[in-house]
Short mmCIF file of all heavy atoms in Angstrom, two decimals:
data_model
loop_
_atom_site.label_atom_id
_atom_site.label_comp_id
_atom_site.label_asym_id
_atom_site.label_seq_id
_atom_site.Cartn_x
_atom_site.Cartn_y
_atom_site.Cartn_z
N TYR A 976 35.39 21.81 1.66
CA TYR A 976 34.91 22.71 0.61
C TYR A 976 34.52 24.01 1.29
O TYR A 976 33.71 24.03 2.22
CB TYR A 976 33.71 22.12 -0.12
CG TYR A 976 33.05 23.08 -1.09
CD1 TYR A 976 33.71 23.49 -2.24
CD2 TYR A 976 31.80 23.61 -0.84
CE1 TYR A 976 33.16 24.41 -3.12
CE2 TYR A 976 31.21 24.53 -1.71
CZ TYR A 976 31.89 24.91 -2.82
OH TYR A 976 31.32 25.82 -3.70
N HIS A 977 35.06 25.12 0.77
CA HIS A 977 34.86 26.41 1.47
C HIS A 977 34.29 27.49 0.58
O HIS A 977 34.15 28.62 1.05
CB HIS A 977 36.22 26.85 2.05
CG HIS A 977 36.80 25.88 3.02
ND1 HIS A 977 36.21 25.60 4.25
CD2 HIS A 977 37.83 25.01 2.91
CE1 HIS A 977 36.92 24.67 4.88
NE2 HIS A 977 37.89 24.25 4.09
N GLY A 978 33.94 27.22 -0.66
CA GLY A 978 33.29 28.21 -1.43
C GLY A 978 33.69 28.22 -2.87
O GLY A 978 34.53 27.39 -3.32
N ASN A 979 33.15 29.17 -3.63
CA ASN A 979 33.27 29.19 -5.07
C ASN A 979 34.06 30.36 -5.62
O ASN A 979 34.13 30.57 -6.83
CB ASN A 979 31.88 29.14 -5.73
CG ASN A 979 31.90 28.57 -7.11
OD1 ASN A 979 32.66 27.68 -7.40
ND2 ASN A 979 31.07 29.10 -7.98
N THR A 980 34.66 31.16 -4.71
CA THR A 980 35.53 32.26 -5.19
C THR A 980 36.92 31.69 -5.43
O THR A 980 37.27 30.59 -5.02
CB THR A 980 35.55 33.36 -4.11
OG1 THR A 980 36.10 32.83 -2.89
CG2 THR A 980 34.18 33.94 -3.88
N THR A 981 37.74 32.49 -6.01
CA THR A 981 39.13 32.04 -6.34
C THR A 981 39.87 31.66 -5.09
O THR A 981 40.51 30.55 -5.00
CB THR A 981 39.87 33.14 -7.08
OG1 THR A 981 39.22 33.41 -8.29
CG2 THR A 981 41.32 32.67 -7.43
N GLY A 982 39.83 32.49 -4.06
CA GLY A 982 40.56 32.17 -2.83
C GLY A 982 39.96 30.99 -2.09
O GLY A 982 40.73 30.11 -1.65
N SER A 983 38.64 30.93 -1.95
CA SER A 983 38.09 29.83 -1.23
C SER A 983 38.21 28.50 -1.98
O SER A 983 38.30 27.42 -1.34
CB SER A 983 36.58 30.10 -0.92
OG SER A 983 35.84 30.38 -2.07
N LEU A 984 38.24 28.49 -3.28
CA LEU A 984 38.50 27.28 -4.06
C LEU A 984 39.93 26.77 -3.81
O LEU A 984 40.15 25.59 -3.78
CB LEU A 984 38.29 27.50 -5.56
CG LEU A 984 36.84 27.42 -6.10
CD1 LEU A 984 36.83 27.79 -7.58
CD2 LEU A 984 36.31 25.99 -5.89
N SER A 985 40.83 27.73 -3.64
CA SER A 985 42.24 27.33 -3.43
C SER A 985 42.42 26.60 -2.14
O SER A 985 43.43 25.87 -1.97
CB SER A 985 43.12 28.61 -3.42
OG SER A 985 43.07 29.25 -4.65
N ILE A 986 41.53 26.74 -1.17
CA ILE A 986 41.64 26.02 0.10
C ILE A 986 40.59 24.93 0.23
O ILE A 986 40.25 24.51 1.35
CB ILE A 986 41.59 27.02 1.30
CG1 ILE A 986 40.29 27.77 1.32
CG2 ILE A 986 42.77 27.92 1.27
CD1 ILE A 986 40.06 28.61 2.56
N SER A 987 40.07 24.40 -0.90
CA SER A 987 39.03 23.42 -0.90
C SER A 987 39.53 22.15 -1.62
O SER A 987 39.41 22.03 -2.83
CB SER A 987 37.79 23.97 -1.60
OG SER A 987 37.26 25.09 -0.97
N PRO A 988 40.08 21.20 -0.85
CA PRO A 988 40.56 19.94 -1.49
C PRO A 988 39.46 19.21 -2.30
O PRO A 988 39.74 18.56 -3.31
CB PRO A 988 41.02 19.07 -0.34
CG PRO A 988 41.38 20.07 0.74
CD PRO A 988 40.37 21.21 0.56
N TYR A 989 38.23 19.34 -1.85
CA TYR A 989 37.10 18.72 -2.54
C TYR A 989 37.06 19.17 -4.02
O TYR A 989 36.63 18.40 -4.89
CB TYR A 989 35.82 19.08 -1.81
CG TYR A 989 34.54 18.59 -2.49
CD1 TYR A 989 34.17 17.25 -2.41
CD2 TYR A 989 33.70 19.50 -3.13
CE1 TYR A 989 32.99 16.83 -3.01
CE2 TYR A 989 32.55 19.05 -3.76
CZ TYR A 989 32.17 17.74 -3.68
OH TYR A 989 31.05 17.34 -4.29
N LYS A 990 37.51 20.39 -4.26
CA LYS A 990 37.51 20.93 -5.62
C LYS A 990 38.87 20.86 -6.28
O LYS A 990 38.97 20.40 -7.43
CB LYS A 990 37.01 22.39 -5.56
CG LYS A 990 35.55 22.56 -5.29
CD LYS A 990 34.69 22.11 -6.47
CE LYS A 990 33.21 22.40 -6.28
NZ LYS A 990 32.35 21.89 -7.38
N PHE A 991 39.91 21.35 -5.63
CA PHE A 991 41.17 21.49 -6.35
C PHE A 991 41.83 20.17 -6.66
O PHE A 991 42.70 20.09 -7.55
CB PHE A 991 42.11 22.49 -5.63
CG PHE A 991 42.70 22.06 -4.30
CD1 PHE A 991 43.42 20.89 -4.15
CD2 PHE A 991 42.57 22.89 -3.23
CE1 PHE A 991 43.94 20.55 -2.91
CE2 PHE A 991 43.07 22.59 -1.99
CZ PHE A 991 43.79 21.37 -1.82
N ARG A 992 41.44 19.08 -5.95
CA ARG A 992 42.09 17.76 -6.34
C ARG A 992 41.62 17.35 -7.69
O ARG A 992 42.27 16.42 -8.33
CB ARG A 992 41.86 16.75 -5.30
CG ARG A 992 40.39 16.29 -5.13
CD ARG A 992 40.28 15.13 -4.16
NE ARG A 992 38.88 14.79 -3.95
CZ ARG A 992 38.29 14.75 -2.71
NH1 ARG A 992 39.00 15.01 -1.65
NH2 ARG A 992 37.07 14.39 -2.61
N HIS A 993 40.49 17.88 -8.20
CA HIS A 993 40.04 17.54 -9.57
C HIS A 993 40.50 18.58 -10.56
O HIS A 993 40.23 18.45 -11.75
CB HIS A 993 38.51 17.48 -9.60
CG HIS A 993 37.93 16.48 -8.65
ND1 HIS A 993 38.13 15.15 -8.77
CD2 HIS A 993 37.09 16.62 -7.57
CE1 HIS A 993 37.48 14.48 -7.82
NE2 HIS A 993 36.85 15.37 -7.06
N MET A 994 41.27 19.57 -10.07
CA MET A 994 41.75 20.66 -11.00
C MET A 994 43.27 20.53 -11.14
O MET A 994 43.78 19.52 -11.63
CB MET A 994 41.28 21.97 -10.46
CG MET A 994 39.74 22.07 -10.33
SD MET A 994 39.10 23.37 -9.22
CE MET A 994 39.75 24.86 -9.95
N ASP A 995 44.01 21.56 -10.69
CA ASP A 995 45.44 21.55 -10.86
C ASP A 995 46.19 21.20 -9.57
O ASP A 995 47.38 21.41 -9.48
CB ASP A 995 45.90 22.94 -11.38
CG ASP A 995 45.31 23.26 -12.74
OD1 ASP A 995 45.16 22.36 -13.53
OD2 ASP A 995 45.02 24.48 -12.95
N GLY A 996 45.44 20.71 -8.57
CA GLY A 996 46.06 20.44 -7.32
C GLY A 996 46.24 21.72 -6.45
O GLY A 996 45.81 22.78 -6.83
N PRO A 997 46.81 21.55 -5.24
CA PRO A 997 46.90 22.67 -4.34
C PRO A 997 47.97 23.69 -4.75
O PRO A 997 48.94 23.38 -5.40
CB PRO A 997 47.27 22.02 -3.00
CG PRO A 997 48.02 20.78 -3.42
CD PRO A 997 47.38 20.33 -4.72
N GLU A 998 47.70 24.92 -4.33
CA GLU A 998 48.75 25.97 -4.47
C GLU A 998 49.90 25.63 -3.50
O GLU A 998 49.70 24.86 -2.55
CB GLU A 998 48.15 27.32 -4.08
CG GLU A 998 46.94 27.73 -4.88
CD GLU A 998 47.31 28.36 -6.24
OE1 GLU A 998 48.57 28.47 -6.48
OE2 GLU A 998 46.45 28.72 -7.02
N ASP A 999 51.08 26.21 -3.72
CA ASP A 999 52.25 25.88 -2.90
C ASP A 999 52.08 26.36 -1.48
O ASP A 999 52.75 25.93 -0.55
CB ASP A 999 53.50 26.43 -3.48
CG ASP A 999 53.48 27.94 -3.68
OD1 ASP A 999 52.52 28.55 -3.27
OD2 ASP A 999 54.43 28.44 -4.31
N TRP A 1000 51.10 27.25 -1.21
CA TRP A 1000 50.88 27.80 0.15
C TRP A 1000 49.78 27.04 0.90
O TRP A 1000 49.42 27.43 2.02
CB TRP A 1000 50.58 29.29 0.10
CG TRP A 1000 49.51 29.66 -0.87
CD1 TRP A 1000 49.63 30.02 -2.18
CD2 TRP A 1000 48.09 29.80 -0.55
NE1 TRP A 1000 48.40 30.31 -2.73
CE2 TRP A 1000 47.47 30.17 -1.77
CE3 TRP A 1000 47.33 29.63 0.58
CZ2 TRP A 1000 46.06 30.39 -1.82
CZ3 TRP A 1000 45.91 29.80 0.50
CH2 TRP A 1000 45.32 30.18 -0.69
N VAL A 1001 49.19 25.97 0.26
CA VAL A 1001 48.11 25.20 0.87
C VAL A 1001 48.66 23.84 1.26
O VAL A 1001 49.27 23.16 0.46
CB VAL A 1001 46.93 25.08 -0.11
CG1 VAL A 1001 45.84 24.19 0.50
CG2 VAL A 1001 46.37 26.41 -0.50
N HIS A 1002 48.42 23.47 2.55
CA HIS A 1002 48.87 22.17 3.05
C HIS A 1002 47.70 21.40 3.59
O HIS A 1002 46.99 21.88 4.46
CB HIS A 1002 49.93 22.44 4.17
CG HIS A 1002 51.01 23.38 3.75
ND1 HIS A 1002 52.12 23.02 2.99
CD2 HIS A 1002 51.14 24.70 3.96
CE1 HIS A 1002 52.84 24.05 2.75
NE2 HIS A 1002 52.27 25.13 3.33
N VAL A 1003 47.47 20.20 3.05
CA VAL A 1003 46.30 19.41 3.33
C VAL A 1003 46.60 18.46 4.51
O VAL A 1003 47.57 17.72 4.53
CB VAL A 1003 45.89 18.56 2.15
CG1 VAL A 1003 44.61 17.75 2.47
CG2 VAL A 1003 45.58 19.47 0.92
N THR A 1004 45.76 18.51 5.52
CA THR A 1004 45.89 17.62 6.70
C THR A 1004 44.85 16.51 6.61
O THR A 1004 43.78 16.70 6.00
CB THR A 1004 45.69 18.41 8.01
OG1 THR A 1004 44.29 18.78 8.07
CG2 THR A 1004 46.54 19.65 8.07
N PRO A 1005 45.12 15.33 7.20
CA PRO A 1005 44.12 14.24 7.18
C PRO A 1005 42.85 14.64 7.94
O PRO A 1005 42.87 15.44 8.86
CB PRO A 1005 44.79 13.10 7.87
CG PRO A 1005 46.28 13.44 7.88
CD PRO A 1005 46.33 14.93 7.92
N GLN A 1006 41.75 14.14 7.43
CA GLN A 1006 40.48 14.37 8.14
C GLN A 1006 40.45 13.43 9.35
O GLN A 1006 40.71 12.20 9.20
CB GLN A 1006 39.28 14.10 7.23
CG GLN A 1006 37.97 14.52 7.79
CD GLN A 1006 36.86 14.44 6.73
OE1 GLN A 1006 37.05 13.84 5.70
NE2 GLN A 1006 35.74 15.07 6.96
N PRO A 1007 40.11 13.86 10.55
CA PRO A 1007 40.09 12.97 11.70
C PRO A 1007 39.02 11.92 11.58
O PRO A 1007 37.99 12.16 11.05
CB PRO A 1007 39.84 13.93 12.89
CG PRO A 1007 39.20 15.13 12.26
CD PRO A 1007 39.76 15.27 10.91
N ASP A 1008 39.33 10.74 12.07
CA ASP A 1008 38.35 9.67 12.11
C ASP A 1008 37.63 9.73 13.44
O ASP A 1008 38.03 9.11 14.43
CB ASP A 1008 39.06 8.30 11.94
CG ASP A 1008 38.10 7.15 11.82
OD1 ASP A 1008 36.95 7.34 12.17
OD2 ASP A 1008 38.51 6.08 11.32
#
Side-chain angles (χ1 to χ4, degrees):
Y976 172 69
H977 301 291
N979 204 35
T980 61
T981 299
S983 57
L984 277 176
S985 297
I986 58 171
S987 298
Y989 175 75
K990 287 291 186 180
F991 68 56
R992 67 174 175 235
H993 299 298
M994 300 160 61
D995 298 326
E998 302 278 358
D999 57 7
W1000 51 272
V1001 176
H1002 309 279
V1003 180
T1004 70
Q1006 190 170 15
D1008 187 341

